[in-house]
Amino acid sequence: MALNPDYAGRVYPPAGPFPVTREEIAAFADAVGSTVAAHRDPEAARALGYADVVAPPTFAVRIAQQCEAQLVTDPGAGIDFARVVHGDESFVHHRPVVAGDVLTGVLHVDRMREAGGHGMVTTRVELSDADGAPVTTVTSTIVVRGES
Amino acid sequence: MSATTDPAALTRTVTVDRARLVAYADASGDQNPIHQDAEVARSVGLEDVIAHGMWTMGAALDAVTAYAGGDPGRVLSCATRFTGMVVVPEGETVEVQVEGAVKKVDEEAGTETVELTVTCGGQKVLGRCQAVVRV
């Protein structure tokens, strides 16, 4: 199965809304072994000036990957999920994600190509809040390992 | 809370086992079976179950949040390449080493760029792992 290069340049309709809860933030912080109180303790977060607990720097991947699923699970795109490994990832935080946020994400397929027998897919998810203000830009490259 | 930055926070050892990968799969929503099922992992040519690259990045970046006085909002951006795999055999606890250093100071912007070196078993698993922190 080969990647479909025609998907490059695609922009998907907004996905979501994704409400962000304290429980999700705490579970993510626990799973990455975080030591930071502001991910779990609303008082600690308020002491830093936030309305509620604040997400870890990579938490937005939870929402971004749900947006990326629109592409990854599309049979027409030609991505074999079991052969996918992660190439790179970046987050630009326009503001931190806080419990109580309701986010939507717009998926952009920035690049889709074959290289050295592997597929390389670069996506960008622009997350925004309920007011439409930008929250986080999540850029991800996945490698679909070839069947060598 | 003052904007203190403690370089000691950038050095730590984090551990991962199969249970932690299940917890991360649930917390992140990434249920790719190569992070939970050795048979599936081997069927696609991997040595064994591997940690989510994003687990490793998340575990490493916590050191940066700690460095930024425990204020997640001071981590303005972060990025990495996934250059190696953290193999997590059944019944074992695997150690990942995180070491960070300030690579750049931008006094005008009031930011620092922190670079993390993240290794497992002496092998680098993250490449160009950097974060920009508001100081």
Side-chain angles (χ1 to χ4, degrees):
Chain A
M1 189 163 58
L3 290 183
N4 182 349
D6 293 347
Y7 275 62
R10 248 177 218 227
V11 182
Y12 284 75
F18 302 103
V20 177
T21 66
R22 283 182 185 172
E23 291 73 22
E24 284 172 355
I25 289 176
F28 193 95
D30 288 347
V32 297
S34 172
T35 57
V36 171
H39 300 322
R40 303 181 185 85
D41 177 359
E43 288 309 314
R46 282 184 200 118
L48 294 168
Y50 301 105
D52 208 322
V53 296
V54 190
T58 62
F59 173 85
V61 74
R62 174 184 165 88
I63 296 157
Q65 285 184 343
Q66 292 179 69
C67 301
E68 292 159 14
Q70 296 172 100
L71 170 71
V72 175
T73 63
D74 183 339
I79 297 171
D80 180 353
F81 190 50
R83 306 197 71 84
V84 165
V85 292
H86 215 140
D88 62 51
E89 185 87 8
S90 83
F91 301 82
V92 175
H93 297 291
H94 310 293
R95 70 157 173 85
V97 174
V98 176
D101 275 334
V102 178
L103 303 178
T104 55
V106 176
L107 172 66
H108 301 251
V109 183
D110 282 346
R111 216 166 172 206
M112 201 144 173
R113 66 191 178 98
E114 302 272 352
H118 303 300
M120 310 279 284
V121 181
T122 301
T123 56
R124 172 170 45 92
V125 175
E126 301 285 359
L127 294 176
S128 55
D129 64 19
D131 298 327
V135 176
T136 305
T137 301
V138 185
T139 307
S140 181
T141 300
I142 57 171
V143 181
V144 188
R145 297 161 59 247
E147 315 216 15
S148 55
Chain B
M1 181 122 184
S2 67
T4 50
T5 41
D6 177 9
L10 292 172
T11 297
R12 62 171 65 173
T13 301
V14 292
T15 61
V16 58
D17 58 14
R18 291 284 184 88
R20 190 163 279 267
L21 293 185
V22 173
Y24 184 79
D26 292 341
S28 69
D30 183 348
Q31 298 287 351
N32 191 329
I34 63 171
H35 305 303
Q36 299 190 40
D37 185 330
E39 217 167 289
V40 173
R42 290 188 187 117
S43 77
V44 294
L46 300 171
E47 181 186 335
D48 201 333
V49 161
I50 59 168
H52 307 71
M54 285 308 304
W55 174 83
T56 310
M57 184 185 188
L61 258 296
D62 187 63
V64 177
T65 312
Y67 171 75
D71 183 348
R74 285 171 56 198
V75 184
L76 303 179
S77 65
C78 54
T80 197
R81 289 185 171 183
F82 301 98
T83 55
M85 296 178 190
V86 175
V87 178
V88 185
E90 180 68 50
E92 288 186 30
T93 299
V94 176
E95 289 191 339
V96 176
Q97 312 289 336
V98 180
E99 276 180 60
V102 175
K103 283 287 163 194
K104 202 172 103 186
V105 178
D106 185 336
E107 284 182 10
E108 207 166 304
T111 60
E112 287 181 358
T113 301
V114 173
E115 183 161 307
L116 299 176
T117 303
V118 182
T119 56
C120 181
Q123 300 290 317
K124 217 169 170 185
V125 291
L126 298 182
R128 293 191 198 170
C129 184
Q130 293 192 336
V132 176
V133 176
R134 178 164 47 79
V135 290

mmCIF file of all heavy atoms in Angstrom, chain A residues 17-60:
data_model
loop_
_atom_site.group_PDB
_atom_site.id
_atom_site.type_symbol
_atom_site.label_atom_id
_atom_site.label_comp_id
_atom_site.label_asym_id
_atom_site.label_seq_id
_atom_site.Cartn_x
_atom_site.Cartn_y
_atom_site.Cartn_z
ATOM 1 N N PRO A 17 -16.128 19.856 18.833
ATOM 2 C CA PRO A 17 -15.310 20.432 19.901
ATOM 3 C C PRO A 17 -14.745 19.369 20.860
ATOM 4 O O PRO A 17 -15.364 18.335 21.061
ATOM 5 C CB PRO A 17 -16.294 21.348 20.640
ATOM 6 C CG PRO A 17 -17.648 20.745 20.394
ATOM 7 C CD PRO A 17 -17.571 20.106 19.027
ATOM 8 N N PHE A 18 -13.552 19.651 21.399
ATOM 9 C CA PHE A 18 -12.902 18.788 22.380
ATOM 10 C C PHE A 18 -12.831 19.531 23.713
ATOM 11 O O PHE A 18 -11.976 20.404 23.884
ATOM 12 C CB PHE A 18 -11.493 18.429 21.925
ATOM 13 C CG PHE A 18 -11.425 17.738 20.593
ATOM 14 C CD1 PHE A 18 -11.041 18.425 19.447
ATOM 15 C CD2 PHE A 18 -11.748 16.392 20.473
ATOM 16 C CE1 PHE A 18 -10.972 17.806 18.213
ATOM 17 C CE2 PHE A 18 -11.688 15.749 19.243
ATOM 18 C CZ PHE A 18 -11.307 16.458 18.110
ATOM 19 N N PRO A 19 -13.739 19.192 24.643
ATOM 20 C CA PRO A 19 -13.646 19.829 25.967
ATOM 21 C C PRO A 19 -12.446 19.251 26.729
ATOM 22 O O PRO A 19 -12.199 18.048 26.663
ATOM 23 C CB PRO A 19 -14.959 19.441 26.659
ATOM 24 C CG PRO A 19 -15.753 18.655 25.668
ATOM 25 C CD PRO A 19 -14.840 18.226 24.567
ATOM 26 N N VAL A 20 -11.692 20.091 27.409
ATOM 27 C CA VAL A 20 -10.516 19.643 28.174
ATOM 28 C C VAL A 20 -10.888 19.638 29.657
ATOM 29 O O VAL A 20 -11.319 20.658 30.194
ATOM 30 C CB VAL A 20 -9.320 20.590 27.939
ATOM 31 C CG1 VAL A 20 -8.131 20.159 28.785
ATOM 32 C CG2 VAL A 20 -8.954 20.635 26.459
ATOM 33 N N THR A 21 -10.736 18.465 30.288
ATOM 34 C CA THR A 21 -11.121 18.333 31.693
ATOM 35 C C THR A 21 -9.898 18.228 32.604
ATOM 36 O O THR A 21 -8.807 17.872 32.155
ATOM 37 C CB THR A 21 -11.989 17.077 31.920
ATOM 38 O OG1 THR A 21 -11.186 15.919 31.668
ATOM 39 C CG2 THR A 21 -13.202 17.067 30.991
ATOM 40 N N ARG A 22 -10.131 18.524 33.880
ATOM 41 C CA ARG A 22 -9.073 18.333 34.888
ATOM 42 C C ARG A 22 -8.586 16.890 34.909
ATOM 43 O O ARG A 22 -7.393 16.632 35.057
ATOM 44 C CB ARG A 22 -9.646 18.636 36.281
ATOM 45 C CG ARG A 22 -9.800 20.085 36.598
ATOM 46 C CD ARG A 22 -10.316 20.212 38.023
ATOM 47 N NE ARG A 22 -10.582 21.620 38.325
ATOM 48 C CZ ARG A 22 -11.175 22.029 39.431
ATOM 49 N NH1 ARG A 22 -11.558 21.154 40.351
ATOM 50 N NH2 ARG A 22 -11.370 23.311 39.646
ATOM 51 N N GLU A 23 -9.539 15.953 34.769
ATOM 52 C CA GLU A 23 -9.192 14.534 34.855
ATOM 53 C C GLU A 23 -8.262 14.131 33.714
ATOM 54 O O GLU A 23 -7.308 13.379 33.919
ATOM 55 C CB GLU A 23 -10.466 13.675 34.820
ATOM 56 C CG GLU A 23 -11.348 13.796 36.058
ATOM 57 C CD GLU A 23 -12.106 15.138 36.146
ATOM 58 O OE1 GLU A 23 -12.304 15.806 35.101
ATOM 59 O OE2 GLU A 23 -12.471 15.522 37.281
ATOM 60 N N GLU A 24 -8.534 14.651 32.519
ATOM 61 C CA GLU A 24 -7.677 14.324 31.365
ATOM 62 C C GLU A 24 -6.269 14.874 31.563
ATOM 63 O O GLU A 24 -5.281 14.213 31.239
ATOM 64 C CB GLU A 24 -8.249 14.948 30.084
ATOM 65 C CG GLU A 24 -9.447 14.237 29.520
ATOM 66 C CD GLU A 24 -10.073 15.019 28.365
ATOM 67 O OE1 GLU A 24 -9.637 16.158 28.070
ATOM 68 O OE2 GLU A 24 -10.993 14.482 27.768
ATOM 69 N N ILE A 25 -6.197 16.091 32.059
ATOM 70 C CA ILE A 25 -4.886 16.720 32.276
ATOM 71 C C ILE A 25 -4.107 15.950 33.341
ATOM 72 O O ILE A 25 -2.918 15.645 33.169
ATOM 73 C CB ILE A 25 -5.060 18.206 32.656
ATOM 74 C CG1 ILE A 25 -5.534 18.993 31.415
ATOM 75 C CG2 ILE A 25 -3.760 18.792 33.213
ATOM 76 C CD1 ILE A 25 -5.838 20.467 31.684
ATOM 77 N N ALA A 26 -4.793 15.573 34.429
ATOM 78 C CA ALA A 26 -4.113 14.833 35.505
ATOM 79 C C ALA A 26 -3.657 13.458 35.023
ATOM 80 O O ALA A 26 -2.538 13.024 35.338
ATOM 81 C CB ALA A 26 -5.044 14.695 36.710
ATOM 82 N N ALA A 27 -4.510 12.778 34.242
ATOM 83 C CA ALA A 27 -4.145 11.435 33.759
ATOM 84 C C ALA A 27 -2.932 11.515 32.833
ATOM 85 O O ALA A 27 -2.029 10.667 32.885
ATOM 86 C CB ALA A 27 -5.331 10.791 33.031
ATOM 87 N N PHE A 28 -2.885 12.563 32.001
ATOM 88 C CA PHE A 28 -1.748 12.735 31.090
ATOM 89 C C PHE A 28 -0.481 13.033 31.889
ATOM 90 O O PHE A 28 0.587 12.448 31.641
ATOM 91 C CB PHE A 28 -2.046 13.865 30.098
ATOM 92 C CG PHE A 28 -1.097 13.931 28.939
ATOM 93 C CD1 PHE A 28 -1.414 13.312 27.735
ATOM 94 C CD2 PHE A 28 0.113 14.610 29.050
ATOM 95 C CE1 PHE A 28 -0.529 13.366 26.656
ATOM 96 C CE2 PHE A 28 0.992 14.661 27.982
ATOM 97 C CZ PHE A 28 0.678 14.047 26.784
ATOM 98 N N ALA A 29 -0.612 13.926 32.876
ATOM 99 C CA ALA A 29 0.547 14.278 33.714
ATOM 100 C C ALA A 29 1.071 13.048 34.454
ATOM 101 O O ALA A 29 2.283 12.822 34.537
ATOM 102 C CB ALA A 29 0.159 15.389 34.700
ATOM 103 N N ASP A 30 0.146 12.239 34.974
ATOM 104 C CA ASP A 30 0.560 11.009 35.673
ATOM 105 C C ASP A 30 1.305 10.071 34.723
ATOM 106 O O ASP A 30 2.326 9.485 35.079
ATOM 107 C CB ASP A 30 -0.656 10.281 36.247
ATOM 108 C CG ASP A 30 -1.257 11.009 37.453
ATOM 109 O OD1 ASP A 30 -0.592 11.922 37.993
ATOM 110 O OD2 ASP A 30 -2.393 10.656 37.842
ATOM 111 N N ALA A 31 0.764 9.914 33.506
ATOM 112 C CA ALA A 31 1.332 8.939 32.566
ATOM 113 C C ALA A 31 2.750 9.318 32.144
ATOM 114 O O ALA A 31 3.578 8.442 31.905
ATOM 115 C CB ALA A 31 0.431 8.792 31.341
ATOM 116 N N VAL A 32 3.045 10.616 32.056
ATOM 117 C CA VAL A 32 4.418 11.009 31.686
ATOM 118 C C VAL A 32 5.299 11.209 32.929
ATOM 119 O O VAL A 32 6.443 11.633 32.823
ATOM 120 C CB VAL A 32 4.471 12.271 30.787
ATOM 121 C CG1 VAL A 32 3.767 12.017 29.459
ATOM 122 C CG2 VAL A 32 3.913 13.506 31.478
ATOM 123 N N GLY A 33 4.757 10.862 34.097
ATOM 124 C CA GLY A 33 5.556 10.931 35.318
ATOM 125 C C GLY A 33 5.843 12.349 35.770
ATOM 126 O O GLY A 33 6.881 12.622 36.371
ATOM 127 N N SER A 34 4.900 13.257 35.505
ATOM 128 C CA SER A 34 5.152 14.662 35.830
ATOM 129 C C SER A 34 5.231 14.915 37.333
ATOM 130 O O SER A 34 4.530 14.303 38.125
ATOM 131 C CB SER A 34 4.045 15.536 35.242
ATOM 132 O OG SER A 34 4.190 16.854 35.722
ATOM 133 N N THR A 35 6.100 15.865 37.678
ATOM 134 C CA THR A 35 6.306 16.272 39.069
ATOM 135 C C THR A 35 5.648 17.620 39.356
ATOM 136 O O THR A 35 5.810 18.161 40.440
ATOM 137 C CB THR A 35 7.818 16.443 39.317
ATOM 138 O OG1 THR A 35 8.323 17.394 38.368
ATOM 139 C CG2 THR A 35 8.567 15.130 39.138
ATOM 140 N N VAL A 36 4.940 18.183 38.368
ATOM 141 C CA VAL A 36 4.495 19.574 38.445
ATOM 142 C C VAL A 36 3.078 19.688 39.019
ATOM 143 O O VAL A 36 2.135 19.083 38.503
ATOM 144 C CB VAL A 36 4.562 20.205 37.032
ATOM 145 C CG1 VAL A 36 3.914 21.572 37.001
ATOM 146 C CG2 VAL A 36 6.016 20.285 36.569
ATOM 147 N N ALA A 37 2.930 20.474 40.087
ATOM 148 C CA ALA A 37 1.649 20.565 40.806
ATOM 149 C C ALA A 37 0.548 21.200 39.966
ATOM 150 O O ALA A 37 -0.621 20.812 40.065
ATOM 151 C CB ALA A 37 1.843 21.363 42.095
ATOM 152 N N ALA A 38 0.900 22.189 39.141
ATOM 153 C CA ALA A 38 -0.117 22.955 38.408
ATOM 154 C C ALA A 38 -0.903 22.117 37.401
ATOM 155 O O ALA A 38 -1.922 22.567 36.878
ATOM 156 C CB ALA A 38 0.531 24.147 37.689
ATOM 157 N N HIS A 39 -0.434 20.879 37.125
ATOM 158 C CA HIS A 39 -1.202 19.986 36.235
ATOM 159 C C HIS A 39 -2.349 19.316 36.981
ATOM 160 O O HIS A 39 -3.248 18.758 36.360
ATOM 161 C CB HIS A 39 -0.314 18.883 35.656
ATOM 162 C CG HIS A 39 0.834 19.377 34.836
ATOM 163 N ND1 HIS A 39 0.737 20.458 34.005
ATOM 164 C CD2 HIS A 39 2.113 18.925 34.732
ATOM 165 C CE1 HIS A 39 1.916 20.644 33.413
ATOM 166 N NE2 HIS A 39 2.761 19.748 33.844
ATOM 167 N N ARG A 40 -2.276 19.306 38.315
ATOM 168 C CA ARG A 40 -3.249 18.514 39.076
ATOM 169 C C ARG A 40 -3.984 19.301 40.146
ATOM 170 O O ARG A 40 -5.100 18.959 40.504
ATOM 171 C CB ARG A 40 -2.533 17.348 39.776
ATOM 172 C CG ARG A 40 -1.783 16.435 38.870
ATOM 173 C CD ARG A 40 -1.153 15.313 39.681
ATOM 174 N NE ARG A 40 -0.301 14.454 38.857
ATOM 175 C CZ ARG A 40 0.961 14.731 38.586
ATOM 176 N NH1 ARG A 40 1.526 15.826 39.058
ATOM 177 N NH2 ARG A 40 1.665 13.914 37.827
ATOM 178 N N ASP A 41 -3.339 20.346 40.669
ATOM 179 C CA ASP A 41 -3.867 21.050 41.840
ATOM 180 C C ASP A 41 -4.387 22.430 41.421
ATOM 181 O O ASP A 41 -3.597 23.322 41.078
ATOM 182 C CB ASP A 41 -2.729 21.177 42.870
ATOM 183 C CG ASP A 41 -3.155 21.957 44.101
ATOM 184 O OD1 ASP A 41 -4.316 22.419 44.165
ATOM 185 O OD2 ASP A 41 -2.309 22.114 45.009
ATOM 186 N N PRO A 42 -5.727 22.626 41.426
ATOM 187 C CA PRO A 42 -6.278 23.912 40.974
ATOM 188 C C PRO A 42 -5.731 25.097 41.773
ATOM 189 O O PRO A 42 -5.529 26.179 41.206
ATOM 190 C CB PRO A 42 -7.786 23.757 41.198
ATOM 191 C CG PRO A 42 -8.035 22.289 41.247
ATOM 192 C CD PRO A 42 -6.786 21.667 41.793
ATOM 193 N N GLU A 43 -5.462 24.898 43.068
ATOM 194 C CA GLU A 43 -4.924 25.993 43.888
ATOM 195 C C GLU A 43 -3.521 26.382 43.412
ATOM 196 O O GLU A 43 -3.191 27.569 43.314
ATOM 197 C CB GLU A 43 -4.882 25.588 45.369
ATOM 198 C CG GLU A 43 -6.260 25.533 46.019
ATOM 199 C CD GLU A 43 -7.072 26.816 45.778
ATOM 200 O OE1 GLU A 43 -6.504 27.916 45.945
ATOM 201 O OE2 GLU A 43 -8.244 26.708 45.388
ATOM 202 N N ALA A 44 -2.706 25.379 43.117
ATOM 203 C CA ALA A 44 -1.346 25.655 42.612
ATOM 204 C C ALA A 44 -1.423 26.397 41.282
ATOM 205 O O ALA A 44 -0.634 27.317 41.021
ATOM 206 C CB ALA A 44 -0.565 24.348 42.457
ATOM 207 N N ALA A 45 -2.387 26.014 40.437
ATOM 208 C CA ALA A 45 -2.538 26.685 39.140
ATOM 209 C C ALA A 45 -3.011 28.128 39.337
ATOM 210 O O ALA A 45 -2.519 29.046 38.676
ATOM 211 C CB ALA A 45 -3.521 25.909 38.262
ATOM 212 N N ARG A 46 -3.939 28.323 40.262
ATOM 213 C CA ARG A 46 -4.452 29.688 40.512
ATOM 214 C C ARG A 46 -3.347 30.584 41.068
ATOM 215 O O ARG A 46 -3.287 31.776 40.746
ATOM 216 C CB ARG A 46 -5.645 29.634 41.469
ATOM 217 C CG ARG A 46 -6.913 29.200 40.755
ATOM 218 C CD ARG A 46 -8.152 29.225 41.642
ATOM 219 N NE ARG A 46 -9.174 28.378 41.044
ATOM 220 C CZ ARG A 46 -9.685 27.289 41.597
ATOM 221 N NH1 ARG A 46 -9.297 26.905 42.809
ATOM 222 N NH2 ARG A 46 -10.586 26.585 40.958
ATOM 223 N N ALA A 47 -2.477 29.992 41.897
ATOM 224 C CA ALA A 47 -1.365 30.773 42.464
ATOM 225 C C ALA A 47 -0.445 31.292 41.359
ATOM 226 O O ALA A 47 0.247 32.298 41.535
ATOM 227 C CB ALA A 47 -0.582 29.908 43.454
ATOM 228 N N LEU A 48 -0.443 30.587 40.210
ATOM 229 C CA LEU A 48 0.366 31.029 39.068
ATOM 230 C C LEU A 48 -0.424 31.966 38.147
ATOM 231 O O LEU A 48 0.098 32.420 37.131
ATOM 232 C CB LEU A 48 0.837 29.810 38.261
ATOM 233 C CG LEU A 48 1.808 28.857 38.965
ATOM 234 C CD1 LEU A 48 1.957 27.555 38.180
ATOM 235 C CD2 LEU A 48 3.171 29.507 39.163
ATOM 236 N N GLY A 49 -1.697 32.200 38.493
ATOM 237 C CA GLY A 49 -2.488 33.142 37.706
ATOM 238 C C GLY A 49 -3.424 32.515 36.685
ATOM 239 O O GLY A 49 -3.970 33.218 35.833
ATOM 240 N N TYR A 50 -3.611 31.185 36.755
ATOM 241 C CA TYR A 50 -4.484 30.514 35.788
ATOM 242 C C TYR A 50 -5.855 30.255 36.406
ATOM 243 O O TYR A 50 -5.985 30.137 37.621
ATOM 244 C CB TYR A 50 -3.862 29.188 35.327
ATOM 245 C CG TYR A 50 -2.507 29.383 34.698
ATOM 246 C CD1 TYR A 50 -1.343 29.044 35.389
ATOM 247 C CD2 TYR A 50 -2.396 29.946 33.435
ATOM 248 C CE1 TYR A 50 -0.093 29.252 34.828
ATOM 249 C CE2 TYR A 50 -1.145 30.157 32.865
ATOM 250 C CZ TYR A 50 0.002 29.807 33.561
ATOM 251 O OH TYR A 50 1.221 30.030 33.000
ATOM 252 N N ALA A 51 -6.868 30.125 35.536
ATOM 253 C CA ALA A 51 -8.231 29.900 36.005
ATOM 254 C C ALA A 51 -8.408 28.490 36.563
ATOM 255 O O ALA A 51 -9.250 28.254 37.431
ATOM 256 C CB ALA A 51 -9.220 30.128 34.863
ATOM 257 N N ASP A 52 -7.619 27.551 36.043
ATOM 258 C CA ASP A 52 -7.757 26.147 36.473
ATOM 259 C C ASP A 52 -6.455 25.432 36.142
ATOM 260 O O ASP A 52 -5.501 26.084 35.675
ATOM 261 C CB ASP A 52 -8.958 25.504 35.749
ATOM 262 C CG ASP A 52 -9.598 24.379 36.567
ATOM 263 O OD1 ASP A 52 -8.858 23.619 37.230
ATOM 264 O OD2 ASP A 52 -10.840 24.264 36.528
ATOM 265 N N VAL A 53 -6.430 24.104 36.358
ATOM 266 C CA VAL A 53 -5.185 23.361 36.129
ATOM 267 C C VAL A 53 -4.723 23.521 34.684
ATOM 268 O O VAL A 53 -5.528 23.632 33.753
ATOM 269 C CB VAL A 53 -5.304 21.867 36.506
ATOM 270 C CG1 VAL A 53 -5.565 21.708 38.003
ATOM 271 C CG2 VAL A 53 -6.357 21.165 35.686
ATOM 272 N N VAL A 54 -3.409 23.529 34.504
ATOM 273 C CA VAL A 54 -2.787 23.814 33.206
ATOM 274 C C VAL A 54 -2.181 22.521 32.654
ATOM 275 O O VAL A 54 -1.566 21.754 33.397
ATOM 276 C CB VAL A 54 -1.675 24.875 33.359
ATOM 277 C CG1 VAL A 54 -1.197 25.360 32.006
ATOM 278 C CG2 VAL A 54 -2.167 26.039 34.203
ATOM 279 N N ALA A 55 -2.341 22.312 31.363
ATOM 280 C CA ALA A 55 -1.878 21.068 30.738
ATOM 281 C C ALA A 55 -0.357 21.044 30.580
ATOM 282 O O ALA A 55 0.278 22.093 30.449
ATOM 283 C CB ALA A 55 -2.535 20.913 29.365
ATOM 284 N N PRO A 56 0.230 19.835 30.571
ATOM 285 C CA PRO A 56 1.659 19.692 30.254
ATOM 286 C C PRO A 56 1.946 20.175 28.814
ATOM 287 O O PRO A 56 1.036 20.226 27.983
ATOM 288 C CB PRO A 56 1.904 18.184 30.376
ATOM 289 C CG PRO A 56 0.802 17.669 31.247
ATOM 290 C CD PRO A 56 -0.384 18.544 30.944
ATOM 291 N N PRO A 57 3.228 20.493 28.526
ATOM 292 C CA PRO A 57 3.578 21.078 27.218
ATOM 293 C C PRO A 57 3.219 20.200 26.019
ATOM 294 O O PRO A 57 3.055 20.718 24.921
ATOM 295 C CB PRO A 57 5.096 21.266 27.292
ATOM 296 C CG PRO A 57 5.472 21.102 28.715
ATOM 297 C CD PRO A 57 4.380 20.401 29.440
ATOM 298 N N THR A 58 3.110 18.873 26.234
ATOM 299 C CA THR A 58 2.810 17.989 25.089
ATOM 300 C C THR A 58 1.367 17.468 25.118
ATOM 301 O O THR A 58 0.994 16.633 24.292
ATOM 302 C CB THR A 58 3.776 16.779 25.035
ATOM 303 O OG1 THR A 58 3.601 15.991 26.224
ATOM 304 C CG2 THR A 58 5.225 17.231 24.949
ATOM 305 N N PHE A 59 0.560 17.966 26.046
ATOM 306 C CA PHE A 59 -0.811 17.447 26.190
ATOM 307 C C PHE A 59 -1.635 17.604 24.913
ATOM 308 O O PHE A 59 -2.481 16.756 24.589
ATOM 309 C CB PHE A 59 -1.516 18.166 27.353
ATOM 310 C CG PHE A 59 -2.982 17.829 27.485
ATOM 311 C CD1 PHE A 59 -3.393 16.709 28.196
ATOM 312 C CD2 PHE A 59 -3.954 18.625 26.888
ATOM 313 C CE1 PHE A 59 -4.740 16.387 28.308
ATOM 314 C CE2 PHE A 59 -5.304 18.313 26.997
ATOM 315 C CZ PHE A 59 -5.710 17.190 27.718
ATOM 316 N N ALA A 60 -1.399 18.686 24.182
ATOM 317 C CA ALA A 60 -2.216 18.974 22.993
ATOM 318 C C ALA A 60 -2.157 17.853 21.968
ATOM 319 O O ALA A 60 -3.012 17.776 21.081
ATOM 320 C CB ALA A 60 -1.791 20.301 22.371
#
